[in-house]
């Protein structure tokens, strides 16, 4: 499985988590790619604004999007950073459902 990670650049917390997430993905045998067009899923790392931008990217690439909430509200991004390992494993295993929202 190929993942494109979209994060808000320049924020230390999101940059650190995106790097950690990339490591978890590759350690689990999947791949992190440089563009959404070459991915199977877009992963958003940040708050709701970042999730909205990632949703737009995913829509254009015709792939699903999942969001890790590193913001304050988290209305749109439901995955939590402390669950990253198990979330990555479930995504790779296909143990998720897709909710059509757009």
């Amino acid at each position: 499985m190929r993942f494109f990670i979209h994060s808000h650049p320049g924020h230390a917390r999101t940059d650190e988590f995106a790097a950690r997430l990339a490591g978890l993905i590759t350690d689990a045998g999947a791949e992190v790619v440089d563009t959404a067009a070459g991915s199977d899923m877009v992963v958003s790392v940040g708050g709701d604004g970042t999730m909205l931008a990632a949703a737009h990217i995913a829509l254009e690439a015709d792939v699903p999007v999942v969001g890790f909430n590193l913001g304050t509200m988290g209305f749109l991004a439901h995955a939590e950073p402390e669950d990253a390992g198990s979330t990555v494993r479930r995504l790779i295993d296909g143990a998720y459902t897709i909710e059509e929202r757009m």
Side-chain angles (χ1 to χ4, degrees):
M1 187 163 197
R2 298 174 313 254
F3 295 91
F4 172 69
I5 299 174
H6 175 76
S7 64
H8 193 278
H11 286 95
R13 186 169 176 228
T14 57
D15 290 345
E16 290 170 11
F17 181 74
R20 178 176 159 243
L21 184 62
L24 290 170
I25 290 169
T26 56
D27 288 349
E31 184 180 356
V32 176
V33 295
D34 294 330
T35 65
S39 72
D40 299 304
M41 183 173 289
V42 172
V43 181
S44 174
V45 175
D48 288 338
T50 304
M51 183 65 181
L52 287 171
H56 180 74
I57 292 167
L59 181 64
E60 289 194 356
D62 195 29
V63 296
V65 61
V66 62
F68 280 91
N69 177 34
L70 273 75
T72 53
M73 294 303 235
F75 287 115
L76 302 175
H78 293 285
E80 295 296 333
E82 58 269 12
D83 299 327
S86 61
T87 300
V88 166
R89 184 78 258 152
R90 285 194 320 271
L91 294 172
I92 292 170
D93 291 345
Y96 60 88
T97 57
I98 295 174
E99 296 178 17
E100 297 289 337
R101 295 190 181 194
M102 294 183 159

